[in-house]
Amino acid sequence: MKTLLSVIAVENKKLVRSYVLWGTLALYLFVCAIRAGETDWNTYLGNVVFMFSSVLGLVGFAVLTSWAFGREYADRTLKDLLAMPVSRGKVVAAKVAASFVWCLILTEITFLFSLFIGLMAGIPNFSKTIVLHYFIQLLIVTAINLLLCGPVVFLASLSRGYLVPITYAFATLMVALIAGPTELSRYLPWGIPALQFAGSDSTVFPLASVSYLIVVMTGGAGFAATWAWWRWADHK
């Protein structure tokens, strides 16, 4: 456990020093700030959470997680990393943990920033109940999108970079947008975050159990494949 925590600390330092992390945060804040002209808090926070259920979650999280894995290939530091007296499984776990924690941190910073901007802009009808509702939904769609990063980190490892996984993320976003109004969307992993949020007015978890199971299976398969790739693939 001590070794794993040490590796997580190293991966955390890599992310903190990267332009990708702070560039992503700047984009999040900018996108949410331009929505501050809405007529009420319900509409304003609804738009913020919707963006996280779609582009900011599917693509934004993919950028951070794919960079955490792909940079080792792009910067040619993989051999140095694998030469360390640390199991490859712990390296994968540390990269996933560090990138996930920062995705959560960026999400919470953005939500707090949105509240601040909304108050400064004088958006009417502020309510703690509304804020709590949308914060809970934000955490749920964030968790779903983090699970969907499983295939992203696998593609970053398999392709030895971050171009393919980012392209994949944009492709899944387009699929989710196209399939959104159809019945098929509840069985497509990438359409489920938006459907979760769309149905959240009536219940916290509006979708059938199979939809959430699909998300878990998709993420689990991606992370398992990533671990197997790092464990057994030829990294010459």
Side-chain angles (χ1 to χ4, degrees):
M1 178 60 71
K2 186 175 181 180
T3 303
L4 177 60
L5 292 177
S6 298
V7 181
I8 291 175
V10 171
E11 294 299 328
N12 176 71
K13 186 174 293 186
K14 291 178 184 178
L15 280 168
V16 170
R17 293 182 176 180
S18 73
Y19 63 87
V20 175
L21 176 67
W22 304 114
T24 302
L25 176 60
L27 177 63
Y28 281 11
L29 299 183
F30 173 74
V31 169
C32 291
I34 62 179
R35 306 296 307 194
E38 301 293 352
T39 56
D40 58 72
W41 280 94
N42 196 59
T43 304
Y44 174 50
L45 292 181
N47 285 328
V48 170
V49 177
F50 174 74
M51 286 187 291
F52 272 98
S53 71
S54 54
V55 60
L56 297 185
L58 286 173
V59 178
F61 292 173
V63 169
L64 281 180
T65 52
S66 63
W67 185 88
F69 282 82
R71 68 168 298 277
E72 304 294 353
Y73 299 97
D75 296 346
R76 299 182 179 181
T77 56
L78 180 66
K79 291 183 178 180
D80 296 332
L81 181 64
L82 297 180
M84 295 174 59
V86 179
S87 70
R88 297 180 182 185
K90 288 183 178 179
V91 172
V92 172
K95 286 182 175 295
V96 171
S99 57
F100 275 22
V101 167
W102 273 107
C103 285
L104 285 170
I105 291 174
L106 295 192
T107 300
E108 293 179 5
I109 290 174
T110 304
F111 188 77
L112 291 174
F113 177 78
S114 299
L115 294 179
F116 173 76
I117 291 295
L119 291 171
M120 292 298 99
I123 298 177
N125 303 322
F126 177 83
S127 168
K128 292 182 180 179
T129 302
I130 292 176
V131 172
L132 179 61
H133 167 73
Y134 285 110
F135 182 68
I136 291 173
Q137 286 304 312
L138 178 64
L139 293 179
I140 294 172
V141 298
T142 296
I144 293 173
N145 279 320
L146 287 177
L147 284 173
L148 294 179
C149 288
V152 172
V153 298
F154 173 63
L155 288 174
S157 303
L158 184 64
S159 65
R160 301 174 186 267
Y162 30 75
L163 181 59
V164 171
I166 291 176
T167 302
Y168 163 85
F170 276 103
T172 57
L173 174 63
M174 289 187 287
V175 170
L177 293 175
I178 293 172
T182 68
E183 184 69 19
L184 180 63
S185 186
R186 68 183 59 196
Y187 303 108
L188 289 175
W190 319 287
I192 290 173
L195 287 182
Q196 157 67 34
F197 174 63
S200 63
D201 287 338
S202 56
T203 180
V204 177
F205 295 102
L207 300 177
S209 300
V210 65
S211 296
Y212 302 109
L213 180 61
I214 288 172
V215 171
V216 172
M217 291 178 63
T218 302
F223 293 126
T226 303
W227 179 86
W229 172 261
W230 278 67
R231 178 66 179 81
W232 288 300
D234 184 0
H235 295 285
K236 293 182 179 180

